[in-house]
Amino acid sequence: MILGIGTDLANIERIQGTLDRFGDRFKNRVFTEIEQRKADRRKDVAGTYAKRWAAKEACSKALGTGLAMGISWKDMHVTNLRSGQPVMEVTGWAKDRLDEMTPAGHKAVIHVTLTDDHPWAQAFVIIEALPNAQSNGASA
């Protein structure tokens, strides 16, 4: 069952301007060290940050809060599988909120997709609840 859906559109040029103006102060406030290492290695640094910004906004919307109620930017972070597929992970208050909205007997799965076409970066997040595996060996 779907628990939440969120989307966001970020302007890459606006993120570039913020990086130019605030640099590490901005990056350290919003992005984890892993996200920063990933973005700073890329040719399109601002585009990579913009996609992750959009993913955090989209995740907060899927959690039903927006960036309110104590949620921190770093409570939501994007990593990548070896295949390159983005993965959204949540910690802190965002994890608490996710646990609260997940029905008993289910586990939450966060799906995220990112894209960009200069000057725009976009993210979609879907939070799905899957039934836990039963004791008879069935799996979800």
Side-chain angles (χ1 to χ4, degrees), residues 4 12 17 24 30 63 70 73 84 92-93 102 104 106 112 123-124 127 129-130 140:
I12 296 169
D24 286 344
V30 176
L63 289 168
W73 287 103
W93 191 91
T102 303
H106 290 73
V112 61
F124 286 96
I127 300 175
L130 298 174

Side-chain angles (χ1 to χ4, degrees), residues 31-45:
F31 302 99
T32 65
E33 288 182 25
I34 292 170
E35 289 173 313
Q36 290 180 49
R37 281 196 305 269
K38 172 86 173 179
D40 292 341
R41 284 194 316 254
R42 303 295 297 266
K43 181 178 178 183
D44 183 11
V45 172

Side-chain angles (χ1 to χ4, degrees), residues 1-135:
M1 88 181 71
I2 302 299
L3 300 178
I5 299 172
T7 185
D8 193 67
L9 185 65
N11 185 286
I12 296 169
E13 293 170 1
R14 179 175 166 250
I15 297 296
Q16 181 65 63
T18 303
L19 289 167
D20 293 344
R21 184 169 177 196
F22 298 105
D24 286 344
R25 193 169 116 206
F26 168 65
K27 292 192 283 187
N28 291 332
R29 180 173 167 253
V30 176
F31 302 99
T32 65
E33 288 182 25
I34 292 170
E35 289 173 313
Q36 290 180 49
R37 281 196 305 269
K38 172 86 173 179
D40 292 341
R41 284 194 316 254
R42 303 295 297 266
K43 181 178 178 183
D44 183 11
V45 172
T48 302
Y49 278 118
K51 285 186 281 191
R52 279 149 179 76
W53 171 279
K56 291 168 186 272
E57 287 274 8
C59 185
S60 71
K61 293 170 185 174
L63 289 168
T65 64
L67 285 159
M69 298 174 60
I71 200 165
S72 166
W73 287 103
K74 288 185 176 181
D75 284 347
M76 303 164 290
H77 52 277
V78 177
T79 59
N80 294 84
L81 300 177
R82 296 186 108 208
S83 65
Q85 176 184 345
V87 177
M88 175 64 71
E89 298 178 25
V90 293
T91 58
W93 191 91
K95 174 73 167 105
D96 293 344
R97 172 67 181 143
L98 181 64
D99 291 344
E100 177 185 296
M101 63 192 286
T102 303
H106 290 73
K107 69 175 183 173
V109 177
I110 303 174
H111 304 277
V112 61
T113 185
L114 310 173
T115 191
D116 65 294
D117 187 8
H118 196 86
W120 299 107
Q122 187 172 34
F124 286 96
V125 170
I126 298 173
I127 300 175
E128 178 183 24
L130 298 174
N132 286 331
Q134 301 298 316
S135 59

